[in-house]
Amino acid sequence: MLRLLIDTSVWLDIARRRDGQQIIVPIRVLFFQGKLDLLVPSIILDEFERNRPRAEAAATDSVRERFRLLKQDLKEYGDGEAQAWIAEIAHQVPFISAQALQNFSEISELLSHGRRLEPGIKEHRAVVERALEKKAPFHLNKNSVADALLMELFLTALAEPAGSSDCHVFATSNYQDFSVVNGDRRNPHPDFDSVFSDEQRTNYAYGVDGLVAVLAKRLGEMYEELAEEVAFLDEPPRSLAQILELHKELYDRIWYIHSRGSDTPDGQINPKYDEGLRKSIEQGRSRIESKYEASSLLPEGDYEWGFLNGKMAALEWLLGDELNDPEWYRY
């Protein structure tokens, strides 16, 4: 069992990252599968929720501000092609902002399900002793009580009965309080050497990259496969032009199938139609047959037909229609 105590600083860094879902999703899945344990001191939960509104605003405002400045420059110096590019980027900005907010929301929910750790008399006494001896994180001239409590709660969890393969991980981006002074930040402060002396039982992970490295090392394919499954979320969203192009193709295909619905058994257009309608159908079919592979125009069964209509409904919803609007059945 991998038992993770992830500091607020790391959670906030994960939330801000574009590839945050590649870390959040595997942790969530493996946690609910019982493959890892999340140790959540109440201090971390409170700090995350306290910092969340400011961090969310900063993440979304940053995206909008970068776009605003770029838009301003392109309007001043760009040509017609630049204006089209501006419109395309404007389509993608809401997707990017929403993705950042999703990270914060999912982390908050994950923390609420973790194993809560509350400091007691034992932990508070240990913090006082650490402060009197000027041991990290009290080696600096600042209030480090909250950070010291995190380490004492980690030590309490470490002292609990554990299996031979259990490993406790302390992950933080707070190098000033926890990492070696003026050295490699990936190494803990010497005052914590006794805590992390046995790499089979404990790991010190610096920052998001350090945490990812530990997850990959300890969980192997279980973690890497889950991360790879959501890697597509890091790709930029489809452009508006691509969406409209696919919508046009689906419209053509669905119209073509419908136009064949009342054909005669030998494949001729219904003779009951007037000449104008018959000519219009013939022209429409000819255009579509010349554009797409003829063998792919007719569905092989109900599943393929339903899937085609489902894709059309999803695209129309993306373009502003309502999924419960029966009008999309007009195709």
Side-chain angles (χ1 to χ4, degrees), residues 71-197:
K71 181 179 179 180
Q72 181 177 323
D73 288 344
L74 287 174
K75 277 187 174 180
E76 186 173 351
Y77 303 109
D79 52 16
E81 186 175 329
Q83 300 305 313
W85 188 82
I86 289 175
E88 181 54 50
I89 294 299
H91 163 72
Q92 297 194 19
V93 167
F95 289 97
I96 299 171
S97 298
Q99 188 177 45
L101 297 180
Q102 181 183 358
N103 288 348
F104 284 97
S105 177
E106 292 187 9
I107 288 173
S108 180
E109 183 179 359
L110 192 55
L111 290 174
S112 70
H113 286 91
R115 178 153 66 96
R116 194 69 53 85
L117 302 181
E118 298 287 355
I121 295 175
K122 173 187 172 184
E123 287 77 25
H124 282 101
R125 182 182 294 117
V127 167
V128 172
E129 292 175 357
R130 187 178 288 275
L132 291 173
E133 295 173 9
K134 295 293 184 179
K135 288 186 175 181
F138 291 106
H139 59 294
L140 303 171
N141 293 322
K142 69 184 187 69
N143 183 355
S144 298
V145 171
D147 298 305
L149 278 173
L150 289 184
M151 183 56 70
E152 294 305 329
L153 287 168
F154 182 73
L155 288 170
T156 297
L158 188 59
E160 296 173 349
S164 59
S165 61
D166 282 7
C167 178
H168 288 69
V169 179
F170 186 89
T172 183
S173 297
N174 185 358
Y175 65 91
Q176 291 184 328
D177 285 316
F178 296 110
S179 294
V180 62
V181 178
N182 298 326
D184 190 338
R185 296 176 181 177
R186 295 172 297 177
N187 296 325
H189 190 281
D191 289 343
F192 303 127
D193 280 349
S194 60
V195 180
F196 301 103
S197 59

Side-chain angles (χ1 to χ4, degrees), residues 226-242:
L226 287 168
E228 188 175 337
E229 285 179 8
V230 294
F232 73 92
L233 294 173
D234 299 329
E235 298 296 326
R238 299 290 185 190
S239 68
L240 183 59
Q242 287 176 306

Side-chain angles (χ1 to χ4, degrees), residues 1 5 21 24 47 75 77 89 93 105-106 113 122 135 192 204 225 250 257-258 264 283 295 302 310 327:
M1 174 71 74
L5 194 158
Q21 285 290 301
I24 298 168
E47 282 184 343
K75 277 187 174 180
Y77 303 109
I89 294 299
V93 167
S105 177
E106 292 187 9
H113 286 91
K122 173 187 172 184
K135 288 186 175 181
F192 303 127
Y204 179 76
E225 288 178 0
L250 293 175
I257 295 167
H258 261 303
T264 62
Q283 291 175 342
S295 61
D302 291 341
E327 283 194 13

Side-chain angles (χ1 to χ4, degrees), residues 221-269:
E221 291 183 359
M222 284 193 298
Y223 171 77
E224 293 173 353
E225 288 178 0
L226 287 168
E228 188 175 337
E229 285 179 8
V230 294
F232 73 92
L233 294 173
D234 299 329
E235 298 296 326
R238 299 290 185 190
S239 68
L240 183 59
Q242 287 176 306
I243 293 173
L244 292 174
E245 182 64 27
L246 179 58
H247 181 274
K248 182 178 179 181
E249 178 182 340
L250 293 175
Y251 186 97
D252 282 346
R253 290 179 178 276
I254 292 173
W255 179 90
Y256 184 87
I257 295 167
H258 261 303
S259 78
R260 302 292 296 267
S262 58
D263 282 0
T264 62
D266 59 353
Q268 300 300 311
I269 297 175

